Amino acid sequence: MTARVAYRRIYEEATPQDGKRVLVDRLWPRGMSKERAELDEWLRDVAPSADLRRWYHHDPQRYDEFRRRYYAELEDSDHETALWRLRDLAAHDKVTLLTATKDVDHSEAAALAQWLDGA
C-alpha cells in the first residue's frame, strides 16, 4: 500500500499524481481556500488529539514517541469510521494525505501513511 499512500503539505499545488486528496489535520489550514485545496475528503477524525498535538509541538526529537502515542489513539473507537473510510480510499485509488505542517516528514500525515502501510 506504500506506493498508493503519499503525504505532503496542503499548500503545494495539486497534481494529477495525487489521486484522492485527503486532509488529515483537525483544523482547517490557515490561509487556504476550499477551492485551492482541491480536496476529495477532510477526515479530521483521524487527526491526533489536541493533547497529543500540544505535547508533541512538532519537535522532531519527540517524533518516535508521538508516533507510538498516535497509533495508540488510532485504536480508539472515535477514529474507527474515519479510518475505515481512509482504508477504503487507499484500497481503491492512490491517496495523498495532506497537512499544513511545515515538517511533513515528522507529521501525523507521515505517521498515518506508515500506519496504513502496516495495516
Side-chain angles (χ1 to χ4, degrees):
M1 196 180 292
T2 304
R4 299 184 61 81
V5 180
Y7 59 90
R8 62 193 192 109
R9 289 194 82 208
I10 192 167
Y11 299 107
E12 296 174 20
E13 199 70 32
T15 70
Q17 293 79 23
D18 287 346
K20 298 289 185 187
R21 292 173 50 87
V22 180
L23 178 62
V24 294
D25 287 351
R26 187 167 305 280
L27 304 174
W28 186 260
R30 188 173 291 151
M32 175 60 65
S33 70
K34 291 187 180 180
E35 295 78 27
R36 189 170 148 233
E38 297 185 48
L39 289 182
D40 292 291
E41 304 247 0
W42 180 15
L43 294 176
R44 68 182 82 174
D45 288 338
V46 299
S49 68
D51 287 341
L52 182 55
R53 270 192 351 260
R54 278 191 293 274
W55 172 84
Y56 177 45
H57 199 62
H58 298 288
D59 179 351
Q61 293 180 345
R62 290 184 171 185
Y63 182 69
D64 289 338
E65 180 62 17
F66 163 77
R67 191 174 54 201
R68 188 190 68 71
R69 291 180 186 193
Y70 180 38
Y71 290 172
E73 282 189 358
L74 290 176
E75 300 298 322
D76 187 32
S77 63
D78 293 343
H79 298 284
E80 187 174 14
T81 301
L83 284 174
W84 277 108
R85 178 65 184 144
L86 189 54
R87 283 184 183 133
D88 185 54
L89 288 170
H92 295 96
D93 201 352
K94 166 100 192 257
V95 172
T96 298
L97 306 177
L98 302 168
T99 182
T101 305
K102 290 179 183 175
D103 183 359
V104 292
D105 290 330
H106 296 102
S107 69
E108 76 270 9
L112 193 52
Q114 293 167 353
W115 185 85
L116 285 166
D117 182 39

